[in-house]
Amino acid sequence: MSLPEAVGNRIRELRKAKGWTQEQLAEAAGLHYSYIGGVERGDRNISLETLEKIMTGLQVLADELFKFEEDSAYRRALDEHITLIGGQDAEQIKSLTKINREILISIENARKTPDEG
């Protein structure tokens, strides 16, 4: 698979994790929806400026865009989580992290048997 195809696939994964259509991503990125389709198929050799517009539209950082892993339920769930918190400010992300940590601790404690705890 070529780099444009891999990047296009990743953009599609992140777009779908947000529950967006190509039209919605195009609007958020300030691009035409047919252009987004070409990017997702790997038909377009996009500039860094265009890539930045797409990243801004998706509210993801470059490291998330270049995480090429096998398609899995884990990766899709993680992408969805990242896109949900991506538009929040730093304080909101800190609050969400604290809440998630408390939930995970509660789940772990519930798994323990009474004589383990």
Side-chain angles (χ1 to χ4, degrees):
M1 178 181 300
S2 69
L3 184 58
E5 290 171 326
V7 170
N9 284 338
R10 187 71 179 125
I11 289 169
R12 181 182 303 111
E13 290 170 359
L14 293 167
R15 174 181 60 78
K16 287 184 175 185
K18 287 184 91 62
W20 282 3
T21 64
Q22 289 178 344
E23 291 84 3
Q24 289 170 307
L25 174 55
E27 185 176 325
L31 300 167
H32 194 272
Y33 74 89
S34 65
Y35 189 82
I36 296 295
V39 168
E40 288 185 357
R41 289 188 304 275
D43 295 342
R44 302 272 186 175
N45 189 13
I46 63 176
S47 69
L48 291 176
E49 287 177 359
T50 301
L51 190 60
E52 184 176 36
K53 287 179 182 181
I54 292 171
M55 289 168 35
T56 300
L58 289 169
Q59 298 178 325
V60 297
L61 300 174
D63 63 331
E64 280 305 312
L65 191 66
F66 289 97
K67 286 186 179 171
F68 306 126
E69 297 178 21
E70 289 185 31
D71 191 20
S72 68
Y74 175 83
R75 180 79 246 167
R76 286 189 302 275
L78 191 56
D79 287 346
E80 185 174 354
H81 183 73
I82 289 167
T83 58
L84 284 172
I85 66 169
Q88 308 303 313
D89 65 33
E91 286 303 313
Q92 290 170 321
I93 292 173
K94 285 180 188 177
S95 295
L96 291 168
T97 301
K98 182 179 177 184
I99 292 166
N100 284 338
R101 185 177 296 116
E102 291 173 9
I103 291 170
L104 292 171
I105 289 169
S106 295
I107 291 170
E108 187 61 31
N109 287 339
R111 288 183 185 157
K112 293 179 180 179
T113 60
D115 35 348
E116 285 182 301

